[in-house]
Amino acid sequence: MAREECKALLDGLNKTTACYHHLVLTVGGSADSQNLRQELQKTRQKAQELAVSTCARLTAVLRDRSLAADERAEFERLWVAFSGCLDLLEADMRRSLELGAAFPLHAPRRPLVRTGVAGASSGVAARALSTRSLRLEAEGDFDVADLRELEREVLQVGEMIDNMEMKVNVPRWTVQARQAAGAELLSTVSAGPSSVVSLQERGGGCDPRKALAAILFGAVLLAAVALAVCVAKLS
C-alpha cells in the first residue's frame, strides 16, 4: 500500500510539474496575462502540496530499518525520481520569478518574448488542479504580490531539498534502474503487428549495393553540376 501511495503521489507531482513548466514558457509572451499568472500561482502551490506529501511519505518509509532489501531498492528509485522532479520544479520557479520580474503586468509594455505559444492556457492548469475553471480576479498589483510570494516559495523548495538530503542518504549514483538503457524504446509497439520493427533491425550493417548506388548517384550529380557551370561560362 505504501509503495502504491508513493507512486500515485509522485505521478501527480510529475503531471503538475509538467503543467507548470508549460505555463512558465508563456510568461512574457503574447499569451501572458493576469489569468496566466493566477494559473501559475495555483499550479505551483498544488505542486508544492504534492511535494510535501510525497517527501513525508517517502522519508517515513526509507527511515524504517525493518524494510526489506528489495522494497528499499524500489523506494530508493522513487526517491531519486522525486528529487529530480523537485529540482525541475525549483528551476521552473526560479525561471518564472525572473520572467515575472522582467515583464510586469501593471506597467505598460509590449511582449518581447516570442515563445510560439498563443491562446488561452487555462486548460493545462485546469487539468493539473482538477478543476473545471479558474476565476479571474481583477487585482491591479496581483503580480507584484505574487512575485514576493514566489520568492519565498523558491527558498522553501530549496530548504526542502536540503532537508531531504539530511534526513535520507540515498546517493543517486548508487540507485540501479530496473531496465536496461533504451528498454522502453525496444518495447514500443506501433499500431499494427506487421509494422513492428526492432532497433536491432534498424541498426543493421549497410547494404553494399545501396552504398555503391549512392556513390554513383553522387558522381553523376557532381558531373551534372560541373557541366552546367561550363555551359553557363561559355554562354
Side-chain angles (χ1 to χ4, degrees):
M1 290 296 295
R3 179 164 50 184
E4 296 302 324
E5 181 183 355
C6 291
K7 286 183 177 180
L9 288 171
L10 184 57
D11 182 64
L13 178 60
N14 281 328
K15 292 180 179 178
T16 307
T17 303
C19 291
Y20 184 71
H21 176 76
H22 174 81
L23 293 174
V24 170
L25 295 179
T26 62
V27 176
S30 57
D32 194 3
S33 63
Q34 182 171 313
N35 189 29
L36 171 68
R37 303 297 176 94
Q38 290 179 331
E39 292 168 0
L40 276 167
Q41 183 191 60
K42 290 177 171 60
T43 306
R44 77 166 186 266
Q45 290 176 351
K46 180 66 174 180
Q48 291 177 82
E49 292 175 2
L50 290 170
V52 171
S53 300
T54 307
C55 181
R57 196 72 181 96
L58 285 174
T59 301
V61 174
L62 287 173
R63 298 185 72 177
D64 184 7
R65 298 185 180 275
S66 62
L67 193 65
D70 55 341
E71 292 183 354
R72 177 172 295 277
E74 179 64 24
F75 280 109
E76 286 181 350
R77 281 189 285 267
L78 294 177
W79 180 267
V80 171
F82 168 65
S83 60
C85 184
L86 207 58
D87 289 340
L88 294 176
L89 176 61
E90 182 190 23
D92 283 331
M93 290 174 65
R94 291 185 181 278
R95 185 179 297 110
S96 177
L97 180 62
E98 295 175 358
L99 291 176
F103 300 98
L105 292 177
H106 64 279
R109 91 237 189 291
R110 180 180 179 183
L112 301 178
V113 178
R114 299 302 178 184
T115 61
V117 181
S121 55
S122 58
V124 177
R127 287 194 296 271
L129 301 172
S130 299
T131 57
R132 291 187 177 181
S133 62
L134 296 173
R135 183 168 59 91
L136 175 62
E137 299 177 358
E139 299 178 8
D141 58 346
F142 169 80
D143 58 327
V144 178
D146 183 60
L147 287 178
R148 291 195 294 265
E149 183 179 356
L150 175 57
E151 189 173 4
R152 291 193 298 269
E153 292 177 358
V154 169
L155 296 177
Q156 292 175 359
V157 173
E159 291 178 358
M160 183 186 300
I161 296 175
D162 294 338
N163 292 333
M164 284 170 48
E165 297 177 354
M166 295 288 292
K167 293 179 179 178
V168 179
N169 184 21
V170 182
R172 301 187 183 186
W173 56 88
T174 62
V175 178
Q176 297 181 356
R178 290 180 299 176
Q179 296 178 339
E184 66 278 4
L185 299 178
L186 294 174
S187 61
T188 302
V189 179
S190 56
S194 60
S195 59
V196 177
V197 180
S198 65
L199 293 182
Q200 290 89 344
E201 294 175 352
R202 293 183 182 181
C206 180
D207 190 348
R209 292 176 297 179
K210 292 182 179 180
L212 180 60
I215 294 174
L216 293 176
F217 177 77
V220 172
L221 182 61
L222 290 176
V225 171
L227 182 60
V229 172
C230 293
V231 171
K233 290 183 178 180
L234 291 176
S235 60

